[in-house]
């Protein structure tokens, strides 16, 4: 189970909170260029939201454990890495972070515009400021 | 890989699907496919064409099923793929081939990357519309153009910008907000 201690406020995110977008698709990042590709942040078409986890108060092994329990494990996939970004960096683009807490610590980046070109532009901004963490 | 091999080993999967289809969508797809193949002969030749086809094929095959990204991505859209074939064929030989990917909405995407803050992306819709976005240091552009005959001027202008001498080859991530 993911650690139940040091849980962030389930109903409200803080600007300085870190978020992790787990990367299960090798095309969503470049190992050679050490970068996250913008489409890693594009929302799912059915929900118009981008799935992330709130990782404040967690150490590295705990952050990866969440990925295994809730993302790569259920999908039967390998976790390649993650894109780390702060809530404030998301909100600076005009997008919002909705802490749905299902499962625990889960949140969604929401507020994506209707037009594809606008979503691409926002995703470029997110990818430019996010930090790539590769799974060793 | 020869051109002939690229053709037979590239959209072959799509061609098989089209031949099986009887719907209006399938008929339209077949027409677009033939147009795209005819178009590529006039512009893209040899190794460059092979590389473009291979990148498109790889992206297509990786995204054939729902949830190919480990989340809830849509399968690659075959219409987008065919228009993407025409788009990449329309690129002048002086333009470096872009990176190819599929977006979670199933559209084929092309990206020219110089640095995290200097890049240009074009996403090809199923109707042939081109949604584009560029980040050029502190400036950004985005919009949509219809792709029919030749590259839209807005795409050409942004390709000039991303590939021009003012574009940094590398850029420090330090100081990124």
């Amino acid at each position: 189970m993911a650690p139940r201690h040091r849980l962030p406020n389930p109903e409200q995110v803080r600007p300085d909170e870190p978020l992790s977008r787990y990367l299960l698709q090798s095309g969503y990042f470049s190992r050679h260029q050490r970068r996250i590709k913008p489409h890693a942040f594009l929302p799912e078409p059915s929900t118009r939201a981008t799935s992330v986890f709130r990782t404040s108060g967690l150490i590295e092994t705990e952050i990866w454990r969440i990925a295994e329990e809730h993302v790569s494990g259920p999908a039967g996939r390998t976790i390649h890495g993650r894109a780390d970004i702060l809530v404030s960096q998301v909100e600076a683009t005009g997008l919002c972070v909705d802490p749905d807490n299902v499962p625990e610590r889960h949140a969604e980046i929401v507020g994506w515009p209707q037009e594809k070109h606008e979503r691409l532009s926002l995703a470029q901004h997110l990818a430019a400021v996010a930090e790539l963490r590769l799974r060793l | 890989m020869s051109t002939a091999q690229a053709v037979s080993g590239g959209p072959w999967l799509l061609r098989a699907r089209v031949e099986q289809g009887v719907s209006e969508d399938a008929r339209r797809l077949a027409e677009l496919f033939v147009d795209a193949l005819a178009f590529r002969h006039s512009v893209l030749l040899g190794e460059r064409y092979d590389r473009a086809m291979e990148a498109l094929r790889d992206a297509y095959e990786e995204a054939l099923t729902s949830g190919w990204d480990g989340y809830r991505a849509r399968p690659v859209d075959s219409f987008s793929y065919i228009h993407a074939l025409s788009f990449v064929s329309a690129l002048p030989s002086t333009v470096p081939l872009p990176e190819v990917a599929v977006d979670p909405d199933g559209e084929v995407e092309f990206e020219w990357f110089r640095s995290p803050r200097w890049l240009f992306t074009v996403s090809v819709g199923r109707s042939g519309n081109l949604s584009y976005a560029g980040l050029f240091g502190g400036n950004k552009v985005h919009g949509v153009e219809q792709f029919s005959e030749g590259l839209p001027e807005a795409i050409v202008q942004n390709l000039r910008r991303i590939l021009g001498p003012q574009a940094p080859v590398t850029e420090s991530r330090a100081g990124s907000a």
Side-chain angles (χ1 to χ4, degrees):
Chain A
M1 290 287 290
R4 303 187 71 82
H5 57 289
R6 294 164 289 165
L7 282 174
N9 183 334
E11 295 178 355
Q12 191 171 13
V13 292
R14 295 190 326 270
D16 61 343
E17 263 190 57
L19 306 169
S20 288
R21 167 75 167 165
Y22 294 112
L23 305 172
L24 286 76
Q25 171 65 19
S26 58
Y28 277 176
F29 65 97
S30 169
R31 195 176 292 271
H32 171 66
Q33 295 165 333
R34 296 283 305 175
R35 64 152 178 144
I36 300 142
K37 297 189 179 181
H39 57 289
F41 281 105
L42 285 174
E44 296 173 4
S46 58
T47 60
R48 283 295 171 93
T50 303
S51 173
V52 293
F53 279 85
R54 305 166 70 191
T55 56
S56 64
L58 300 181
I59 60 175
E60 281 291 299
T61 54
E62 293 169 333
I63 296 173
W64 291 121
R65 194 181 310 152
I66 288 177
E68 290 162 2
E69 287 183 5
H70 298 299
V71 185
S72 61
R77 300 280 294 263
T78 300
I79 188 90
H80 295 292
R82 65 178 202 261
D84 285 352
I85 193 166
L86 296 175
V87 168
S88 60
Q89 292 172 318
V90 174
E91 292 178 339
T93 66
L95 296 167
C96 303
V97 178
D98 175 23
D100 60 18
N101 216 37
V102 182
E104 196 168 79
R105 287 183 177 272
H106 185 260
E108 291 185 323
I109 299 175
V110 296
W112 291 93
Q114 186 73 22
E115 297 296 328
K116 176 70 180 280
H117 59 92
E118 293 180 289
R119 297 198 298 274
L120 287 174
S121 183
L122 294 176
Q124 287 179 343
H125 278 278
L126 295 180
V129 298
E131 292 286 337
L132 175 64
R133 305 277 185 193
L134 293 173
R135 187 81 189 267
L136 299 178
Chain B
M1 182 190 294
S2 72
T3 302
Q5 284 173 319
V7 172
S8 62
W12 68 118
L13 191 59
L14 188 61
R15 183 167 51 202
R17 289 182 169 189
V18 168
E19 287 169 354
Q20 291 166 5
V22 293
S23 67
E24 180 62 22
D25 267 5
R27 188 191 61 76
R28 177 69 185 133
L29 194 56
E31 289 174 357
L32 287 170
F33 180 66
V34 170
D35 289 348
L37 284 181
F39 193 37
R40 62 93 182 168
H41 282 300
S42 66
V43 184
L44 266 184
L45 298 172
E47 183 185 352
R48 180 179 164 89
Y49 172 75
D50 291 347
R51 283 190 288 121
M53 283 300 302
E54 188 173 353
L56 267 170
R57 181 192 62 200
D58 289 349
Y60 184 87
E61 289 185 338
E62 279 186 14
L64 280 171
T65 57
S66 294
W68 52 266
D69 67 344
Y71 293 96
R72 283 174 282 192
R74 285 188 186 141
V76 60
D77 185 289
S78 294
F79 283 93
S80 171
Y81 177 80
I82 295 296
H83 287 299
L85 182 63
S86 294
F87 176 81
V88 79
S89 298
L91 293 172
S93 60
T94 51
V95 173
L97 290 175
E99 295 184 36
V100 186
V102 177
D103 282 349
D105 61 6
E107 291 188 354
V108 177
E109 177 192 289
F110 297 103
E111 183 190 81
W112 287 265
F113 173 84
R114 301 292 291 264
S115 80
R117 290 182 176 277
W118 203 280
L119 71 166
F120 182 60
T121 305
V122 176
S123 179
V124 184
R126 72 179 336 253
S127 62
N129 59 315
L130 305 174
S131 299
Y132 66 89
L135 198 55
F136 304 104
N139 300 313
K140 64 178 181 180
V141 296
H142 54 85
V144 61
E145 294 283 340
Q146 188 64 34
F147 177 55
S148 53
E149 295 179 12
L151 294 178
E153 185 58 26
I155 301 294
V156 172
Q157 290 295 332
N158 284 297
L159 284 174
R160 286 201 183 107
R161 198 170 183 185
I162 191 70
L163 301 171
Q166 74 277 24
V169 176
T170 58
E171 180 183 75
S172 169
R173 294 175 66 86
S176 58

